[in-house]
């Protein structure tokens, strides 16, 4: 077989590539990203790529990954209808967000009919995370094996809004004390979400997002240990959060890189704990004027999370750039994952990216770049101090400028926004999202305001 299909050397490949490029230099195939990492045109064993193996640790109760849906709402009865529809339609777990989390009574009504021992329930409550966690604990009373995911993440909420009613040290302590109080009653629960998504949504690079997630997790673990939890329980109580977008190679390499970084964090605490990674679809990639191409972007994001080895994948509705998704958009988000899981069979291979010279190299380089950025944050006094000092924000602003410039000058394209633009897009239904003003008075920083990459192009088109 080797005689029929000889393996060319890098030198032979270069000769053929130069011939195919004609007048273009071979260096035109080399690209550099916002982290200064170079993507080369050729990866092979001869280029010194080291193999990486970063599989997810479990099979999510017989499935390749946990199909998780986001249900946003303020009225308990409507949320309950949406939750039951998702679970009956194939979802394995849910994330709840909205005013329904304000108290245990509406939350219990929203979860009426949900078997909490089977369907995991997560929260997205921002700085009100401890109160929402207490409400969920009360709503789950009588189900000690309930698979609760409190997802307390005060630093991300602070970074996004730039305001907090207390000092961030107090918010971290409150979250940690809440976790310690419920740890005994709910042994299967997780407590914290060490997410880096706020960095991504503000235009940050991959390494910046990974570093934010790692430093966020470390801050939560330290607070939990100070509150009396063991390091092992604290680490096992952390879920790592990361964004995935239409750049599926980078997305899946990012998930794998985060798993490698988590191993180093565990070693620093002297504990072995598997990484639990929740991958959510990017909102900065969504278009509002023509939401239908978002279905393609969300499918690519789901592919990245699944192939990258995320333990759970959450896809937004395709209309999320305009408001809360309606029942149709939520069904599309759910069914996209079902097709990827049950028809495309993406989870049948454990860590399918392993062995790809390019993806292994990209994974390792992203992990190293993320770890270097994480060390910078820790040297600046930790995540909270780096936010207060406007250190992270300025670095993310530079990455955002690189990304926006690439789109403006044609180096990057968005289907339906900068390329193949539909002159008369079909409207789509969505639900209005109430505006919630952040509460300040305690701590402050320059906010990492979320962006949407299509917004400038949509505004330009509307002005014509």
């Amino acid at each position: 077989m080797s005689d029929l299909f000889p393996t060319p050397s890098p030198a032979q490949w270069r000769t053929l590539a130069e011939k195919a490029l004609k007048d273009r230099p071979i260096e035109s195939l080399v690209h550099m990203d916002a982290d200064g990492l170079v993507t080369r045109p050729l990866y092979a064993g001869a280029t010194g790529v080291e193999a990486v193996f970063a599989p997810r640790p479990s099979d999510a109760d017989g499935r390749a990954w946990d199909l998780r849906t986001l249900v946003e709402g303020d009225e308990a009865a409507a949320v309950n209808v949406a939750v039951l529809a998702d679970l009956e339609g194939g979802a394995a777990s849910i994330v709840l967000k909205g005013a329904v989390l304000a108290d245990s009574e509406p939350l219990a009504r929203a979860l009426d009919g949900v078997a909490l021992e089977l369907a995991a329930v997560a929260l997205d409550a921002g700085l009100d995370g401890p109160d929402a966690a207490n409400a969920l604990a009360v709503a789950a009373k009588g189900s000690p094996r309930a698979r609760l995911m409190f997802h307390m993440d005060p630093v991300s909420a602070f970074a996004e809004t730039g305001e907090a009613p207390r000092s961030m040290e107090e918010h971290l302590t409150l979250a940690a004390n809440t976790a310690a109080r419920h740890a005994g009653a709910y042994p299967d629960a997780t407590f914290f979400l060490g997410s880096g998504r706020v960095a991504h949504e503000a235009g940050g690079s991959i390494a910046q997002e990974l570093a934010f997630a790692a430093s966020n997790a470390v801050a939560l673990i330290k607070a939990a240990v100070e509150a009396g939890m063991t390091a092992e329980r604290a680490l096992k109580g952390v879920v790592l959060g990361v964004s995935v977008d239409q750049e599926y190679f980078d997305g899946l390499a990012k998930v794998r890189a985060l798993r490698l970084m988590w191993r180093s964090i565990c070693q620093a605490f002297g504990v072995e704990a598997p990484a639990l990674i929740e991958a959510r679809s990017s909102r900065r990639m969504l278009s509002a004027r023509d939401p239908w191409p978002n279905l393609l972007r969300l499918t690519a994001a789901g592919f990245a999370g699944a192939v990258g080895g995320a333990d759970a994948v959450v896809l937004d509705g395709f209309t999320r750039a305009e408001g809360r998704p309606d029942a149709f958009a939520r069904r599309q988000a759910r069914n996209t994952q079902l097709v990827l899981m049950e028809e495309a069979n993406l989870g049948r291979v454990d860590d399918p990216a392993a062995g790809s010279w390019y993806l292994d190299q990209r994974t390792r380089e992203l992990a190293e770049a993320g770890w270097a950025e994480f060390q910078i944050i820790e040297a600046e006094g930790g995540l909270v101090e780096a936010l207060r000092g406007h250190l992270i924000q300025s670095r993310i602003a530079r990455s955002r400028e690189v990304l926006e410039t690439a789109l403006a000058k044609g180096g990057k394209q968005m289907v339906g926004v900068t390329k193949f633009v539909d002159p008369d897009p079909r409207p789509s239904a969505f639900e209005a999202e109430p505006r919630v003003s952040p509460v300040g008075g305690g701590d402050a920083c320059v906010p990492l305001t979320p962006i949407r990459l299509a917004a400038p192009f949509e505004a330009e088109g509307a002005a014509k």
Side-chain angles (χ1 to χ4, degrees):
M1 184 66 70
S2 61
D3 293 334
L4 292 175
F5 300 100
T7 302
S9 68
Q12 291 171 320
W13 170 87
R14 185 181 183 92
T15 299
L16 293 172
E18 289 174 338
K19 181 179 180 181
L21 288 169
K22 297 181 180 178
D23 296 330
R24 292 172 57 200
I26 196 79
E27 288 73 23
S28 65
L29 300 178
V30 177
H31 302 282
M32 181 180 292
D33 66 12
D35 291 313
L37 301 178
V38 174
T39 298
R40 304 193 300 270
L42 178 66
Y43 292 83
T47 59
V49 176
E50 296 182 37
V52 172
F53 187 55
R56 62 173 68 87
S58 65
D59 64 355
D61 294 334
R63 282 180 158 188
W65 68 88
D66 185 332
L67 195 169
R68 188 166 295 167
T69 60
L70 172 64
V71 178
E72 303 173 271
D74 305 314
E75 206 277 317
V79 171
N80 181 249
V81 170
V83 166
L84 294 179
D86 278 351
L87 293 176
E88 291 169 2
S93 61
I94 56 171
V95 180
L96 295 178
K97 183 177 182 179
V100 73
L101 304 180
D103 190 70
S104 59
E105 190 276 330
L107 183 54
R109 286 193 287 119
L111 295 174
D112 184 37
V114 177
L116 297 177
E117 298 88 350
L118 301 176
V121 175
L123 307 174
D124 187 345
L127 289 171
D128 295 323
D131 291 336
N134 291 333
L136 181 59
V138 172
K141 193 173 182 179
S143 302
R145 306 305 300 191
R147 298 170 59 196
L148 308 181
M149 298 175 290
F150 296 122
H151 269 29
M152 290 182 285
D153 184 8
V155 180
S156 288
F158 172 62
E160 181 176 340
T161 63
E163 298 184 73
R166 302 181 178 89
S167 73
M168 284 312 300
E169 287 78 9
E170 290 177 285
H171 280 290
L172 284 166
T173 298
L174 183 58
N177 287 337
T178 302
R181 184 166 63 253
H182 296 304
Y186 296 102
D188 295 331
T190 57
F191 309 107
F192 309 113
L193 180 65
S195 176
R197 290 175 52 245
V198 66
H200 168 88
E201 300 294 0
S205 69
I206 296 176
Q208 289 165 344
E209 181 184 4
L210 291 172
F212 196 106
S215 194
N216 193 1
V218 167
L220 290 163
I221 293 165
K222 288 180 177 178
V225 172
E226 290 177 3
M229 296 180 71
T230 65
E232 181 178 15
R233 187 67 182 101
L235 269 81
K236 290 183 177 180
V238 173
V239 176
L240 300 169
V242 70
S243 294
V244 284
D245 60 16
Q246 77 282 1
E247 302 287 349
Y248 48 84
F249 280 149
D250 276 353
L252 68 90
K254 181 199 302 186
V255 174
R256 299 174 81 226
L258 184 57
R259 201 172 293 282
L260 298 182
M261 292 173 66
W262 179 252
R263 292 177 189 172
S264 296
I265 291 173
C266 290
Q267 290 173 1
F269 282 96
V271 173
E272 287 189 15
L276 299 175
I277 299 177
E278 178 187 88
R280 293 199 197 184
S281 59
S282 164
R283 290 186 175 178
R284 79 182 192 191
M285 72 171 179
L286 298 179
S287 57
R289 174 186 173 273
D290 185 5
W292 300 97
N294 289 335
L295 291 167
L296 300 175
R297 287 185 270 270
L298 290 163
T299 301
F303 176 92
V307 176
D311 298 273
V313 177
V314 185
L315 297 184
D316 268 317
F318 71 101
T319 59
R320 191 59 187 81
E322 298 180 279
R324 289 174 173 173
D326 65 358
F328 173 73
R330 288 195 300 270
R331 179 163 63 89
Q332 292 301 311
R334 185 177 69 240
N335 287 349
T336 295
Q337 287 210 58
L338 287 173
V339 170
L340 293 173
M341 181 183 293
E342 298 181 3
E343 296 187 30
N345 292 304
L346 293 188
R348 294 193 67 178
V349 177
D350 194 5
D351 195 13
S356 163
W357 285 313
Y358 163 63
L359 292 175
D360 279 348
Q361 182 74 4
R362 186 66 172 157
T363 297
R364 190 174 298 280
E365 288 180 346
L366 288 176
E368 291 173 351
W371 191 258
E373 184 71 20
F374 162 70
Q375 289 178 313
I376 291 173
I377 294 173
E378 293 301 296
E380 291 167 342
L383 188 55
V384 172
E385 286 300 322
L387 287 168
R388 286 176 179 148
H390 193 214
L391 302 173
I392 292 176
Q393 296 92 325
S394 60
R395 294 195 289 268
I396 288 177
R398 290 193 291 271
S399 296
R400 181 177 67 247
E401 184 178 358
V402 170
L403 183 58
E404 291 173 337
T405 299
L407 279 169
K409 294 186 175 181
K412 285 184 175 291
Q413 300 288 347
M414 291 186 69
V415 173
V417 177
T418 66
K419 194 173 185 179
F420 307 120
V421 180
D422 189 340
D424 188 24
R426 290 178 296 151
S428 57
F430 61 93
E431 298 175 1
E433 182 176 17
R435 293 187 177 276
V436 180
S437 299
V439 179
D443 217 329
C445 72
V446 175
L448 286 173
T449 305
I451 65 170
R452 199 167 52 79
L453 296 171
F457 302 94
E458 292 169 345
E460 181 181 332
K464 292 180 179 179

